[in-house]
Amino acid sequence: MNPQVKAVEYAVRGPIVLKAGEIELELQRGIKKPFTEVIRANIGDAQAMGQQPITFLRQVMALCTYPNLLDSPSFPEDAKKRARHILQACGGNSLGSYSASQGVNCIREDVAAYITRRDGGVPADPDNIYLTTGASDGISTILKILVSGGGKSRTGVMIPIPQYPLYSAVISELDAIQVNYYLDEENCWALNVNELRRALREAKDHSDPKVLCIINPGNPTGQVQSRKCIEDVIHFAWEEKLFLLADEVYQDNVYSPDCRFHSFKKVLYEMGPEYSSNVELASFHSTSKGYMGECGYRGGYMEVINLHPEIKGQLVKLLSVRLCPPVSGQAAMDIVVNPPVPGEESFEQFSREKESVLGNLAKKAKLTEDMFNQVPGIQCNPLQGAMYAFPRIFIPAKAVEAAQAHKMAPDMFYCMKLLEETGICVVPGSGFGQREGTYHFRMTILPPVEKLKTVLQKVKDFHIKFLEKYA
């Protein structure tokens, strides 16, 4: 079989999750464990963790899926207006028809209007918007376009460490060269341009670095980049002629009062035409995260700017091969970018629900940081954004030896023990990348507050016992 497929690894749904599935089956068969349920804190799946869907989004989706409901008095007029707007642009007025490969035209126009509003009037062209099957589909499609060459001229793709393992997986699949740059854990996972320079310089010996990936807010690290940092990164990309990939799916998830989300597109334009006309940039958003948590709809978009017209043609051709993204996912994306506005009847309820979700996440981010930092041998940076904690854990030498005897990475050994003894499923830091000699795990903060407190207490108790056992 294709050796590149065998090389692909995806830690978020890796061996630890398979083990969690086995334990769940054992619990169902009545096999006694020291716990009654497996808590899957390994993945940012909001609604699986009990987050309620946003009413307005589901109302519009129901109307789009079953248009007979448009006559029902149970639905507000602004929801019906959105549904008609979407359905009129679909073949046969139905979500069940194919759309254009780039996505439904009116939805791309709504995305462009949303970006323009978000970025304080910086214009967005619907022709640069591509609707995608979640952000992941857009990221892998762009990387397919950009990877070329062989030997030392094979494309190098710069990714942050720790990273979201989609990047390493796609790089493996495409047989591209992974170029690691390390985020600064001692400085709240900041991105340092000198580290980008080091990574690029070393990569030039064995590859042709062409692409720089940024995740902001960070996954798994939760940091939110300052405007100055984004300017520095854009200047570096301009200087080195790198294609920028800005993964901005957590743009609504910013909790720290000292932080603000700045889009790469907005900062690029504000740096002036020398940059805004030359730096190639693809930025990504999704229905899966934010306050929406609609992972299953697989809705997303990418905005690609400064792409050469011929390359643009090739991109559309590549997207045509997969016909179109799910039209229901496109409709969900439309509601995210075109929500109720002041004066519409759903506005108050929508605002209340949105603020409730984001307010809860902010509380849980602080709770998680505070509780982890009370545990000897665990250090956790502030969770400025996104929906994960990535604490650093101390693993004693004896535990490292035990892990080697089991042919496991030390943090995989730790996470397996945590799962077997508490039922809590988290992902070892080795699945995301980390500096040698440091160990971490990634855990989502999505469970309801009371359940999250239980999870954190169980991790604390486990960690103290683990240290005693292997001291």
Side-chain angles (χ1 to χ4, degrees), residues 135-145 166 170 173-174 284:
S136 308
D137 168 50
I139 292 162
S140 51
T141 302
I142 282 290
L143 284 172
K144 261 182 208 166
I145 292 272
L166 163 74
V170 175
E173 187 186 342
L174 298 175
F284 306 89

Side-chain angles (χ1 to χ4, degrees), residues 288-313:
S288 302
K289 310 301 175 186
Y291 57 90
M292 305 80 66
E294 293 287 3
C295 305
Y297 276 117
R298 309 307 300 127
Y301 74 73
M302 59 180 174
E303 181 185 24
V304 189
I305 57 173
N306 294 325
L307 204 58
H308 188 282
E310 281 181 37
I311 308 290
K312 212 171 182 175

Side-chain angles (χ1 to χ4, degrees), residues 44-111:
D45 190 346
Q47 293 181 22
M49 285 285 172
Q51 183 179 307
Q52 291 306 299
I54 298 292
T55 303
F56 184 78
L57 194 145
R58 285 301 180 88
Q59 285 173 331
V60 180
M61 291 307 297
L63 292 162
C64 286
T65 307
Y66 190 60
N68 292 15
L69 294 173
L70 285 163
D71 298 325
S72 165
S74 305
F75 290 81
E77 274 311 311
D78 48 359
K80 290 178 180 179
K81 182 181 158 193
R82 298 297 192 289
R84 288 190 187 101
H85 168 71
I86 293 165
L87 289 171
Q88 279 161 11
C90 295
N93 294 337
S94 171
L95 287 192
S97 59
Y98 288 126
S99 75
S101 301
Q102 209 170 325
V104 173
N105 281 343
C106 78
I107 298 177
R108 285 167 44 225
E109 286 164 7
D110 288 344
V111 170

Side-chain angles (χ1 to χ4, degrees), residues 157-358:
V157 180
M158 300 181 71
I159 63 170
I161 298 296
Q163 52 114 14
Y164 175 53
L166 163 74
Y167 291 92
S168 51
V170 175
I171 290 165
S172 290
E173 187 186 342
L174 298 175
D175 198 19
I177 308 297
Q178 180 173 316
V179 178
N180 295 341
Y181 67 87
Y182 289 88
L183 301 174
D184 182 359
E185 183 170 13
E186 308 310 316
N187 192 14
C188 204
W189 299 112
L191 194 169
N192 187 312
V193 173
N194 290 332
E195 170 60 11
L196 291 180
R197 289 205 174 91
R198 177 210 61 79
L200 184 83
R201 190 173 60 246
E202 291 178 13
K204 282 182 172 174
D205 294 341
H206 58 274
S207 68
D208 179 12
K210 285 187 197 165
V211 187
L212 171 56
C213 303
I214 311 285
I215 309 173
N216 179 48
N219 174 10
T221 43
Q223 86 288 0
V224 179
Q225 286 175 5
S226 68
R227 191 198 158 85
K228 167 79 170 70
C229 172
I230 293 171
E231 283 180 8
D232 291 347
V233 170
I234 288 170
H235 178 74
F236 173 76
W238 171 80
E239 216 173 35
E240 300 292 346
K241 298 186 169 47
L242 297 171
F243 195 112
L244 264 179
L245 260 58
D247 179 340
E248 297 175 332
V249 302
Y250 295 100
Q251 59 190 260
D252 288 303
N253 300 95
V254 176
Y255 316 124
S256 171
D258 309 328
C259 296
R260 267 190 66 211
F261 170 74
H262 301 277
S263 78
F264 267 77
K265 161 88 177 295
K266 181 176 197 272
V267 177
L268 178 65
Y269 268 73
E270 288 173 352
M271 285 172 73
E274 192 172 7
Y275 294 94
S276 61
S277 304
N278 292 302
V279 175
E280 294 162 306
L281 169 71
S283 51
F284 306 89
H285 196 15
S286 159
T287 61
S288 302
K289 310 301 175 186
Y291 57 90
M292 305 80 66
E294 293 287 3
C295 305
Y297 276 117
R298 309 307 300 127
Y301 74 73
M302 59 180 174
E303 181 185 24
V304 189
I305 57 173
N306 294 325
L307 204 58
H308 188 282
E310 281 181 37
I311 308 290
K312 212 171 182 175
Q314 296 297 322
L315 174 58
V316 173
K317 177 184 78 177
L318 196 55
L319 294 172
S320 304
V321 174
R322 57 100 162 103
L323 296 175
C324 69
V327 180
S328 54
Q330 296 184 49
M333 193 76 245
D334 189 72
I335 307 153
V336 172
V337 298
N338 189 15
V341 295
E344 289 187 310
E345 63 185 293
S346 300
F347 177 72
E348 277 186 28
Q349 183 185 9
F350 170 80
S351 301
R352 204 166 52 245
E353 290 177 356
K354 176 181 175 179
E355 281 161 25
S356 168
V357 170
L358 294 174

Side-chain angles (χ1 to χ4, degrees), residues 402-457:
Q404 284 163 349
H406 285 84
K407 295 188 167 58
M408 278 186 197
D411 49 8
M412 173 63 92
F413 177 74
Y414 177 96
C415 292
M416 277 293 185
K417 291 285 179 205
L418 176 68
L419 174 63
E420 288 163 359
E421 292 175 29
T422 67
I424 295 165
C425 178
V426 298
V427 191
S430 45
F432 299 88
Q434 54 201 348
R435 280 198 184 274
E436 204 166 323
T438 69
Y439 305 111
H440 303 78
F441 62 79
R442 188 191 80 161
M443 185 192 99
T444 181
I445 60 167
L446 286 169
V449 172
E450 288 313 309
K451 184 171 263 193
L452 182 62
K453 282 180 184 169
T454 305
V455 168
L456 294 167
Q457 186 61 48

